[in-house]
Amino acid sequence: MNRLINLLCLVLLLSFSTACSSDSDEDFDVPVAATIPASKTIEIEILELINAHRINLGLNTLSDNPLVKGQAYSHTEYMIQDNEISHDYFYSRENYLVQHAGALRVGENVAYGFTNAEAVVKAWIASDGHRANIEGDFTNFEISAEQNSLGQWFYTNIFIKK
């Protein structure tokens, strides 16, 4: 019986000691739980334009997901604070969505400076990597579009497959 208890303690110890490991060199001190704000008009337009593009190609439309929205918003706020677009902490967002939203795959597009929905979607479609996410095998998506103190737009568009 003591051997079984010792084995269980060892398993728990190993679980806790490896829970924060990653596949990258990034720090993971950025919180993954996020606020889920109401959608803005520009965000709704972006989602509609992406789904219209997918429909034109005979692809399924993507549904929104509040957990994806929270992760997109959190990352957009991070980019505004850093004043730089990036995919920093992507693995943290991906892991959160796998664990909490049942995601099997996660993709992400980011952008900066575009002043309207049509411009940002056209830019993403013109880029092979971004277009691959827009046209990819996903089931859900969300967008966060936020302005910094100078009125410049930052965007995070996250896609998941459930």
Side-chain angles (χ1 to χ4, degrees), residues 71-88:
Q71 293 302 297
Y73 175 75
S74 181
H75 185 60
T76 302
E77 286 295 307
Y78 168 81
M79 291 190 301
I80 288 172
Q81 283 182 329
D82 206 32
N83 199 37
E84 185 175 355
I85 63 169
S86 72
H87 293 285
D88 291 354

Side-chain angles (χ1 to χ4, degrees), residues 46-130:
I46 290 168
L47 298 178
E48 289 174 349
L49 287 168
I50 289 172
N51 268 335
H53 177 77
R54 290 178 63 87
I55 288 169
N56 285 339
L57 297 175
L59 301 170
N60 63 298
T61 58
L62 305 177
S63 300
D64 60 353
N65 182 299
L67 294 176
V68 176
K69 176 72 169 189
Q71 293 302 297
Y73 175 75
S74 181
H75 185 60
T76 302
E77 286 295 307
Y78 168 81
M79 291 190 301
I80 288 172
Q81 283 182 329
D82 206 32
N83 199 37
E84 185 175 355
I85 63 169
S86 72
H87 293 285
D88 291 354
Y89 308 106
F90 173 77
Y91 294 109
S92 197
R93 288 186 297 287
E94 178 183 43
N95 187 49
Y96 180 88
L97 292 168
V98 166
Q99 290 181 7
H100 299 283
L104 302 173
R105 285 185 50 227
V106 180
E108 177 177 273
N109 289 345
V110 296
Y112 160 80
F114 298 94
T115 58
N116 62 64
E118 187 175 345
V120 72
V121 172
K122 279 185 176 182
W124 280 334
I125 290 171
S127 162
D128 292 340
H130 295 101

Side-chain angles (χ1 to χ4, degrees), residues 23-40:
D23 294 333
S24 73
D25 294 328
E26 299 176 17
D27 280 332
F28 283 86
D29 57 356
V30 171
V32 292
T35 302
I36 304 171
S39 293
K40 296 175 190 62

